[in-house]
Amino acid sequence: MTAMSATTVTLEDNTFTDPRRRAPLVLGAADFATVTDRVAGLVERPRPPLGWYIGFGVAFVWMLVFFGLVGYLFLTGVGVWGNNSPVFWGFPIVNFVFWVGIGHAGTLISAILFLFRQHWRTSINRFAEAMTVFAVVCAGLFPAIHVGRVWLVYWLFPYPNPMGMWPNFRSPLLWDVFAVSTYATVSVLFWYLGMIPDLATLRDRAVTPLRRLLYGLFSLGWTGSARNWHVYERAYLSWRPWPLPWS
Amino acid sequence: MNDPGPTAPASPYWRTLEELADTPRFREMLAKEFPHGIELKGLQRRRWLQLMGASLALAGLGGCRWEKEEIAPFVHRPVGRVPGKAERYATAMDLAGTPIGLVATCVDGRPIKLEGNPNHPLSLGGTDVFAQAAVLELYDPDRGQDVVRRDGNRREIASWDGFRESLGKFVQSAPEGRGLAILAEASSSPTLARLRGRLTAQLPGLRWFEYEPWSDDHVRLGTQSAFGRPLRPFYRLDQARVILALDADLFGGMPGSVRWMRDFAATRDGNPERTSRLYVVEAAHTITGASADHRLPLSPRQIALFAAGLEAALKRLAAGEKLPESAATESAGNSVKIDPVPFLAAVAEDLWEAGPRGLVAAGPGLPPDAHASVARINDLLKNRGTTLLYYPAADPERPTHVEAVRELAEAMASGDIRGLLILGGNPAYNAPADVPLTDLLPKLEFSAHLGLYENETSRCCGWYLPQAHFLESWGDTLAWDGTYAAVQPTIEVLRNGKSALEILAMAGEFDGSPMQWVRETFAERTAGEGEAAESLWAATLQRGCHPPSQDQSVPDVAAAVEAEGDALGAFADAVRTAASNPSPADGLTLLFCRDASVLDGRFANSGWLQEFPDPMTRWTWGNPLVLGVSTARRLGCQDGRLVSLEIDGRAVEMPVCVLPGVAENTAVAYLGYGREAAGHVGGLADQGIPPVGTNVYPLRSSAAWFVRDGVSVRVLGKTVPIPCVQDHHLIDTVGLASRTERLGELVREVTLQRLNDPEAHYAAEHEVHHPPLESLWTEPSHDGHRWGLSVDLSKCLGCGACVVACQAENNIPVVGKERVLQSREMHWIRVDRYFRGDEDNPQSVHQPVMCQQCELAPCEQVCPVAATVHSKEGLNDMVYNRCVGTRYCANNCPYKVRRFNYFYYHQRVEQPENRLLQLVFNPEVTVRSRGVMEKCTYCVQRIQNAKITARNEGRAIADGEIRTACQQACPAQAIVFGDLADEQSAVSREHASARAYAMLAELNVKPRTKYLARVRNPNPRLTGNGESQEHVGHA
């Protein structure tokens, strides 16, 4: 124990670099079980707190306003944005770039900081990845709703059709479509990949059959074995540079 | 980004004064990326819905379901009628007494497009904007539909029978027509004159007055005093080598402008044998001034003195004396100020050297003395028969229009006239301010107004009678040279209207029909010609006109010689006085001009014309008070600033437009705006629709009809947004800097001397140096035709007929003032106007810009859905139903010629009450829905039609067989279209010219449209350092 005392560190510190000891992942009065209880409890509680309802309500109202305005836009024409000639894109492209920028911030945290081994990112990782996903959704919305005839926007995608028409592969806008779709796909996949062990935890704790089924489905048979973790870490690392070119 | 930084290399060209001065306001405008600080205030749809749209909406286009439609096919198809096949009929339009021969294109019995009749001397195939817009007027749902009876404030729908009865009763109560008068608008119709003769023979007491708010009465008075009889000058500009226009807007406001443009442009192709030199001395800045080789702005009073001075100078030259020599120009910086006195001497000498090839034309606004002076000058030049012809003026006995309307008012006030029939026009709106017709008309026992619209005058009269449009009634016109042209109806009467002929017949109870009366007139006129009446009539209808059997020009009548005073000295004194006193205490001189869009107000309800930008100010939807730069600076007002114009206790408020080149201390006001009973487009006070623009007729008195002195201008605190399209289509300071660098290259000019100097090896395309151009893409190959276009900047005089012709041909919508303020106008052609040099007297250039149909089109490369693609014939096709509206093409277009349907601009014509407007659409051109990009197509529908016809007939398409709408309308023949694959075609020859250049060729977009550099033919005595200016644009 004397040897131990020589290397004793305070329980509040998990940043020491003594290779002989594994740094504790949980500090303070908590242990793995209480942390898991606390985190999973948020998801498992029967109903969210009042604050959530208020926050969700405000966001929902804004979303309704947004959909109302988009509906007005669709019914009236893209002229409502005040674009003119030659400023054909003002408002939509500004919004697109704004949201793509927000998404890139999430990518920075989740991917670049991961590659640079910045472990402090883990505390905000999930949040940042979610932000990326939703920001990309917002960003992708604007190129879609900026077009004059929005009901035909699917023509931008290459899909087999009776007209025998393909999009124009020389157009940078088409590559925008590809870039945003790929970025969105990769961001969603990465977000999901990171969640798999957590989904498995929730599955294991699930008390209702529906939860068991759904969490079971999405946790992809995760057992938490060392082999699982090994494959998972390799996959996580190899996936990680993927979103970078798109950002 | 918002800071323009150090000014880019100074280009000689600028578009607006603010750009030239780089004012904070201009920077702010650039910074905002909105021309005039428009905020997004939600949608002001109401005004927009009121607008006249252009094009159809085949039922259901805008919605997701199709409306049920009944189709009733012919059981027996009329002989010769092929459904959907266009037919052409010759007809003619009379505009304030000036006729123009037209050919109406009718599809399924409805006229949709008017072209000039090449056989008609006042058209020669060209048209002006008014003729182009006439079809829209025909289908205007605001046109009067019912006979209306008014009694005080009561308005009730009556019938033609009721009117006939009421008229009959009044005529019976007026023995021999005493107490009855007719107030007619000017008309050249021989049948109207004949019926008038019959009616006055029947009712000797009937009094006939003729009134137009703007006429050439001063020309009549001037020739009367010079020759003893009123004459009508007819210019042969194609024969002239030296032309002086004294306040004469030959190519814009003056009657006959279509012909004058054609003749003048024919001499401007750079051929040293025939290129003319045009001097313009004017107060306003008109397109004639913009076309001049030398232009001198003088106030209207000084111009009259200039005429007298010129006469004196020419007399001296005729007597073999020399004129005093002095330097004509004085250089200050890079601008050249012209000293008027030596300018006069130089012009006099140039004219004298040209002799019979010289010509002086005077504008209707000059006083009669000046016209007499000009008549004598032309006599001194002995140009009769070469560059100038005189024809007898119509109705030589008639008083001037101002006198006529005053006499009428006096007779009405004294009770001599108890009943009045008004045939057309709108005198209650446009009579001189001191003639109180609006007060006198309601007091009459009997009053009736025949008009296309129930306008201001109709509302003062007991009866309103809907007038038949000229496209739906029989009539005839007589050109000045005696060419007779029949007005053929092309459609059944749409709105229950009757023509002026029928009203006269009603008054005189004549038998017959308008066609019979017209045929009788024609038979009388051609009685001596020995040809069978029937075949002659048929031939006339087919050709559209019948030339006089013998030359009707007036043989030599010597002008009375006026005693000589020191007119030269008087002019010099006047110029000196004006120069020494730049701000006279007695206020400004106000000049009244007819408007380039609404003329005298008669076209106020035409959306096409309201949205047509004035060629010089480039304003749409309204009339500014136009001031010169120095005057505006002295008054302390800028573009859009509201001012109050005051005289004799009358005041009107209007915004200012600062136009470089307007004479000092002169303000120009355009007539025809501020209509309160024009219609849903032009303004309808009783339905709460505000008038467009400001009515300046209240400032116009019978004593000061064209020019009014002593007008005071008070600058108000408010600035209004400017519906001016000149500054649209520029983006930010980067764009500005880049454009400034290129401007000398967008517009190219050459002097006649340099062009024809074999040492100079002039080639316009070498003005821009660029490395060899290599293409990123495989260039498209071509089989068969390679369509191409050329625009001769030397011939283009900026009139804008192409803009409206294109609108009529291609179903281009009208967007309205709010949208114009947002820079969303839809015209496929814009006529850019550039200035260069001195801001008080700049040189100007007009440049029509439409889609250049690039071979390596930047728009095609970026469209994600391949909605704009290259055809095998080199056209840059727009596939409307593939377009999803990403607008990337427009962003990538270096010429900014693509137009986007931000809204559904044709919504108005789908409303039940406006469905009549659908008839104006060209069925061969898709009506674009909202969310779709559009642009010039080189009139692809005309190309296809010609190809089909040629294939059916088993022959090749002849050169010149296909003409684009802009080309066909162009009075100056500046636009040539054809097949570049044919080396002999006219367009290939134009493209091979030394003057030909492609705009922005250095971008390697390989445009199919080429411009021909403008030729200037300056007088060496007046050039100063003009030669050095020419090279400024050289990169």
Side-chain angles (χ1 to χ4, degrees):
Chain A
M1 293 308 280
T2 49
M4 278 299 288
S5 61
T7 56
T8 293
V9 292
T10 59
L11 283 175
E12 306 309 318
D13 181 9
N14 65 350
T15 60
F16 59 88
T17 53
D18 183 351
R20 292 166 301 166
R21 277 198 62 203
R22 178 179 281 215
L25 288 170
V26 181
L27 300 178
D31 57 14
F32 284 167
T34 55
V35 169
T36 304
D37 278 347
R38 179 150 170 70
V39 173
L42 288 176
V43 184
E44 287 164 352
R45 61 197 290 173
R47 51 186 66 247
L50 181 67
W52 184 88
Y53 280 108
I54 295 171
F56 182 80
V58 170
F60 188 71
V61 167
W62 279 112
M63 191 183 70
L64 287 185
V65 169
F66 172 77
F67 282 124
L69 291 177
V70 168
Y72 175 63
L73 170 79
F74 289 176
L75 290 175
T76 319
V78 285
V80 299
W81 275 337
N83 297 348
N84 63 14
S85 168
V87 185
F88 289 96
W89 276 351
F91 186 82
I93 202 169
V94 167
N95 265 286
F96 172 67
V97 174
F98 174 82
W99 286 110
V100 165
I102 301 281
H104 287 355
T107 307
L108 176 91
I109 292 166
S110 66
I112 298 179
L113 296 185
F114 175 79
L115 291 178
F116 285 103
R117 304 274 176 218
Q118 298 299 307
H119 292 306
W120 57 268
R121 81 179 246 292
T122 48
S123 58
I124 50 170
N125 184 26
R126 183 68 41 74
F127 173 84
E129 281 168 13
M131 183 176 82
T132 301
V133 170
F134 293 111
V136 171
V137 169
C138 291
L141 202 64
F142 282 93
I145 63 173
H146 98 286
V147 302
R149 301 203 292 168
V150 73
W151 50 96
L152 298 175
V153 73
Y154 63 93
W155 285 358
L156 288 170
F157 291 94
Y159 69 100
N161 60 73
M163 295 181 284
M165 279 295 295
W166 290 102
N168 175 12
F169 289 101
R170 289 194 301 178
S171 169
L173 191 60
L174 184 71
W175 292 100
D176 250 12
V177 170
F178 294 159
V180 173
S181 336
T182 313
Y183 186 43
T185 312
V186 171
S187 298
V188 167
L189 282 177
F190 198 70
W191 182 47
Y192 174 60
L193 193 64
M195 281 198 294
I196 289 175
D198 297 344
L199 291 170
T201 305
L202 289 169
R203 174 200 60 193
D204 296 345
R205 292 164 58 97
V207 287
T208 66
L210 183 66
R211 285 191 186 179
R212 223 174 1 247
L213 176 72
L214 290 179
Y215 286 132
L217 219 57
F218 285 108
S219 54
L220 303 178
W222 179 267
T223 61
S225 69
R227 185 173 174 75
N228 272 177
W229 277 109
H230 174 74
V231 171
Y232 172 82
E233 294 285 354
R234 303 313 292 172
Y236 200 83
L237 182 66
S238 57
W239 260 111
R240 203 56 295 194
W242 268 87
L244 297 182
W246 314 111
S247 40
Chain B
M1 180 92 162
N2 294 340
D3 180 12
T7 321
S11 155
Y13 292 99
W14 34 281
R15 290 207 210 191
T16 58
L17 286 163
E18 304 208 323
E19 177 185 332
L20 179 70
D22 193 20
T23 60
R25 199 176 123 98
F26 185 73
R27 293 189 199 185
E28 183 196 12
M29 187 183 84
L30 287 169
K32 275 185 176 166
E33 295 186 345
F34 276 93
H36 306 297
I38 304 309
E39 285 170 30
L40 261 178
K41 286 181 276 191
L43 260 198
Q44 299 184 345
R45 285 161 54 94
R46 214 156 95 224
R47 178 65 178 168
W48 179 61
L49 289 175
Q50 291 154 0
L51 297 179
M52 174 151 313
S55 287
L56 133 91
L58 288 165
L61 232 175
C64 44
R65 65 199 146 80
W66 274 261
E67 276 175 48
K68 195 180 160 194
E69 262 184 298
E70 306 282 341
I71 299 175
F74 288 120
V75 178
H76 299 290
R77 198 173 78 196
V79 179
R81 162 80 75 85
V82 182
K85 192 172 158 61
E87 284 161 339
R88 289 181 174 78
Y89 297 99
T91 183
M93 169 176 172
D94 193 301
L95 195 64
T98 307
I100 184 166
L102 299 172
V103 178
T105 303
C106 303
V107 177
D108 290 342
R110 59 188 170 95
I112 56 162
K113 184 82 172 61
L114 296 172
E115 307 292 359
N117 183 347
N119 300 322
H120 195 273
L122 292 180
S123 161
L124 298 182
T127 45
D128 51 17
V129 291
F130 308 117
Q132 288 297 336
V135 280
L136 191 68
E137 189 182 47
L138 170 68
Y139 299 118
D140 189 346
D142 287 342
R143 265 176 58 203
Q145 167 119 42
D146 304 299
V147 177
V148 171
R149 176 90 183 90
R150 261 203 179 69
D151 200 356
N153 285 332
R154 210 157 52 87
R155 174 186 186 273
E156 63 189 35
I157 308 293
S159 68
W160 280 109
D161 286 338
F163 169 71
R164 189 179 284 116
E165 198 180 311
S166 166
L167 176 67
K169 247 188 242 165
F170 182 82
V171 171
Q172 270 176 4
S173 77
E176 296 192 323
R178 272 193 294 277
L180 178 65
I182 289 178
L183 174 60
E185 61 182 346
S187 164
S188 68
S189 168
T191 302
L192 190 78
R194 195 170 63 84
L195 291 192
R196 171 188 166 184
R198 267 179 76 181
L199 189 65
T200 40
Q202 197 174 315
L203 304 170
L206 172 82
R207 297 179 68 182
W208 185 285
F209 301 93
E210 183 182 300
Y211 178 70
E212 278 293 333
W214 200 93
S215 69
D216 54 1
D217 281 342
H218 287 182
V219 183
R220 292 167 62 106
L221 294 174
T223 46
Q224 171 90 42
S225 82
F227 303 113
R229 59 191 279 206
L231 297 175
R232 165 84 237 172
F234 190 100
Y235 310 120
R236 293 298 308 270
L237 298 181
D238 52 335
Q239 303 294 322
R241 295 297 305 274
V242 177
I243 304 157
L244 169 65
L246 285 174
D247 215 12
D249 188 5
L250 287 167
F251 311 139
M254 270 171 79
S257 59
V258 173
R259 170 69 186 255
W260 313 148
M261 275 192 261
R262 163 78 163 235
D263 284 354
F264 175 71
T267 69
R268 300 296 291 191
D269 58 358
N271 182 338
E273 299 301 316
R274 59 167 180 254
T275 299
S276 61
R277 179 176 294 147
L278 174 65
Y279 298 93
V280 174
V281 180
E282 61 180 2
H285 195 173
T286 65
I287 57 170
T288 311
S291 318
D293 295 302
H294 293 287
R295 177 179 178 276
L296 176 67
L298 285 183
S299 78
R301 302 287 174 223
Q302 288 173 335
I303 296 173
L305 293 171
F306 186 99
L310 185 69
E311 188 188 354
L314 281 171
K315 276 184 184 154
R316 278 204 212 170
L317 287 170
E321 292 172 36
K322 282 253 175 209
L323 295 178
E325 287 277 339
S326 72
T329 55
E330 124 195 8
S331 305
N334 69 344
S335 61
V336 182
K337 298 260 183 217
I338 298 177
D339 185 349
V341 180
F343 180 89
L344 187 152
V347 174
E349 281 175 3
D350 211 12
L351 277 170
W352 185 248
E353 278 160 32
R357 294 302 199 96
L359 172 68
V360 182
L366 285 182
D369 288 349
H371 283 278
S373 218
V374 166
R376 290 190 296 269
I377 291 170
N378 281 320
D379 260 17
L380 280 171
L381 295 175
K382 299 190 171 52
N383 59 12
R384 188 80 55 82
T386 49
T387 60
L388 180 67
L389 302 170
Y390 282 112
Y391 290 102
D395 199 359
E397 304 300 321
R398 76 164 169 82
T400 66
H401 289 147
V402 178
E403 283 167 18
V405 75
R406 284 176 68 175
E407 266 177 46
L408 171 69
E410 277 161 26
M412 278 160 73
S414 69
D416 288 351
I417 289 174
R418 298 178 294 116
L420 180 67
L421 257 177
I422 304 175
L423 302 180
N426 191 1
Y429 161 75
N430 59 28
D434 52 342
V435 177
L437 280 186
T438 36
D439 301 335
L440 294 168
L441 279 172
K443 291 179 191 149
L444 287 176
E445 201 174 303
F446 174 86
S447 58
H449 175 242
L450 174 77
L452 286 173
Y453 296 89
E454 198 174 333
N455 60 22
E456 290 85 344
T457 305
S458 324
R459 282 153 206 247
C460 298
C461 292
W463 290 89
Y464 164 68
L465 314 171
Q467 186 174 16
H469 195 264
F470 77 90
L471 287 169
E472 48 183 24
S473 54
W474 278 100
D476 50 9
T477 64
L478 195 64
W480 304 320
D481 66 348
T483 302
Y484 178 92
V487 177
Q488 270 194 97
T490 52
I491 192 169
E492 273 284 318
V493 173
L494 290 166
R495 309 289 276 182
N496 191 25
K498 290 198 189 297
S499 66
L501 297 180
E502 288 168 284
I503 303 299
L504 283 191
M506 240 182 239
E509 293 176 351
F510 305 145
D511 292 331
S513 69
M515 184 173 81
Q516 282 173 349
W517 303 321
V518 170
R519 289 203 60 177
E520 280 163 24
T521 313
F522 184 73
E524 267 176 35
R525 293 185 64 83
T526 54
E529 289 180 32
E531 210 174 319
E534 198 62 38
S535 62
L536 197 59
W537 174 245
T540 304
L541 285 188
Q542 198 174 11
R543 283 173 46 85
C545 51
H546 179 71
S549 52
Q550 65 215 30
D551 181 17
Q552 303 206 343
S553 65
V554 178
D556 274 355
V557 259
V561 181
E562 182 119 311
E564 183 159 354
D566 184 17
L568 255 179
F571 174 66
D573 285 345
V575 169
R576 258 196 302 278
T577 319
S580 63
N581 181 17
S583 55
D586 56 347
L588 298 186
T589 304
L590 183 62
L591 183 68
F592 298 101
C593 288
R594 284 204 294 195
D595 189 74
S597 307
V598 300
L599 204 71
D600 50 13
R602 71 182 71 197
F603 296 115
N605 207 44
S606 170
W608 290 354
L609 290 173
Q610 288 281 14
E611 199 153 300
F612 168 67
D614 180 278
M616 291 311 294
T617 65
R618 308 273 282 133
W619 279 50
T620 60
W621 294 98
N623 56 338
L625 181 74
V626 182
L627 296 173
V629 179
S630 312
T631 316
R633 201 167 285 151
R634 189 165 55 71
L635 292 169
C637 49
Q638 335 71 27
D639 272 341
R641 191 67 175 265
L642 273 187
V643 293
S644 167
L645 273 181
E646 288 157 17
I647 189 158
D648 293 351
R650 288 200 177 85
V652 299
E653 277 181 23
M654 58 199 304
V656 161
C657 165
V658 183
L659 181 67
V662 175
E664 273 187 49
N665 292 314
T666 303
V668 185
Y670 293 99
L671 301 169
Y673 287 92
R675 295 279 310 273
E676 293 192 334
H680 286 84
V681 174
L684 207 52
D686 51 10
Q687 291 194 25
I689 297 166
V692 175
T694 315
N695 183 5
V696 291
Y697 281 110
L699 297 178
R700 209 173 173 218
S701 71
S702 52
W705 212 41
F706 286 107
V707 179
R708 181 130 206 196
D709 290 316
V711 178
S712 65
V713 173
R714 197 158 51 85
V715 181
L716 306 175
K718 205 175 152 204
T719 302
V720 296
I722 315 168
C724 168
V725 299
Q726 183 69 51
D727 270 331
H728 291 180
H729 316 295
L730 52 90
I731 300 187
D732 51 22
T733 43
V734 178
L736 174 68
S738 152
R739 203 194 60 204
T740 315
E741 280 165 23
R742 288 182 197 143
L743 267 184
E745 302 150 16
L746 298 183
V747 182
R748 295 177 199 176
E749 291 185 10
V750 61
T751 58
L752 183 66
Q753 191 198 0
R754 181 159 170 237
L755 178 65
N756 291 295
D757 178 3
E759 300 289 302
H761 300 294
Y762 177 75
E765 59 187 12
H766 294 158
E767 299 270 306
V768 178
H769 305 293
H770 53 72
L773 302 172
E774 281 184 39
S775 177
L776 264 174
W777 318 106
T778 321
E779 298 193 14
S781 62
H782 301 286
D783 39 49
H785 307 290
R786 292 174 59 222
W787 305 117
L789 190 97
S790 72
V791 182
D792 192 335
L793 296 181
S794 200
K795 291 184 175 177
C796 173
L797 306 175
C799 72
C802 50
V803 176
V804 185
C806 177
Q807 188 151 25
E809 172 76 17
N810 292 302
N811 301 340
I812 297 173
V814 172
V815 298
K817 186 173 183 177
E818 276 87 12
R819 305 268 172 267
V820 172
L821 286 170
Q822 286 177 317
S823 182
R824 286 181 185 167
E825 65 274 6
M826 296 297 288
H827 295 140
W828 286 1
I829 304 179
R830 63 168 197 270
V831 184
D832 282 337
R833 175 264 288 138
Y834 297 104
F835 294 122
R836 145 175 134 155
D838 180 13
E839 58 182 17
D840 278 322
N841 184 19
Q843 293 185 328
S844 336
V845 195
H846 284 96
Q847 184 181 36
V849 185
M850 64 294 269
C851 175
Q852 310 279 307
Q853 312 283 350
C854 310
E855 294 278 11
L856 298 171
C859 50
E860 292 172 7
Q861 289 152 21
V862 298
C863 176
V865 294
T868 180
V869 285
H870 222 65
S871 84
K872 280 287 181 200
E873 296 175 356
L875 294 182
N876 176 224
D877 285 343
M878 186 68 222
V879 190
Y880 299 124
N881 52 2
R882 178 70 184 169
C883 179
V884 301
T886 67
R887 315 191 280 292
Y888 203 164
C889 52
N891 275 338
N892 215 34
C893 173
Y895 305 96
K896 293 289 166 255
V897 289
R898 287 177 161 264
R899 301 285 177 267
F900 187 66
N901 288 277
Y902 278 105
F903 293 111
Y904 183 36
Y905 291 126
H906 294 295
Q907 200 156 15
R908 181 178 184 241
V909 296
E910 287 190 351
Q911 294 164 334
E913 66 272 25
N914 294 326
R915 287 210 146 181
L916 189 59
L917 274 173
Q918 296 183 2
L919 297 182
V920 83
F921 290 123
N922 183 352
E924 312 234 290
V925 178
T926 311
V927 174
R928 283 78 60 188
S929 69
R930 85 170 145 96
V932 171
M933 190 60 73
E934 58 184 72
K935 62 155 192 96
C936 160
T937 62
Y938 272 178
C939 284
V940 67
Q941 66 280 7
R942 294 188 174 207
I943 298 175
Q944 292 304 332
N945 265 340
K947 278 166 68 179
I948 292 167
T949 313
R951 196 161 50 224
N952 287 346
E953 293 170 7
R955 60 175 173 84
I957 299 173
D959 184 34
E961 188 177 337
I962 307 172
R963 289 199 291 164
T964 60
C966 50
Q967 176 187 16
Q968 193 159 14
C970 181
Q973 296 198 298
I975 301 173
V976 177
F977 177 82
D979 189 353
L980 292 171
D982 170 9
E983 282 175 17
Q984 298 309 311
S985 69
V987 71
S988 294
R989 291 198 303 272
E990 298 259 299
H991 276 218
S993 151
R995 290 194 289 130
Y997 70 94
M999 212 199 320
L1000 299 178
E1002 62 275 21
L1003 302 181
N1004 200 27
V1005 294
K1006 294 204 161 61
R1008 275 289 177 83
T1009 302
K1010 279 193 179 181
Y1011 291 91
L1012 268 61
R1014 172 164 172 166
V1015 180
R1016 285 195 192 267
N1017 183 15
N1019 182 345
R1021 243 194 96 178
L1022 290 170
T1023 31
N1025 60 359
E1027 276 300 311
S1028 65
Q1029 276 186 21
E1030 191 181 353
H1031 295 276
V1032 176
H1034 205 269

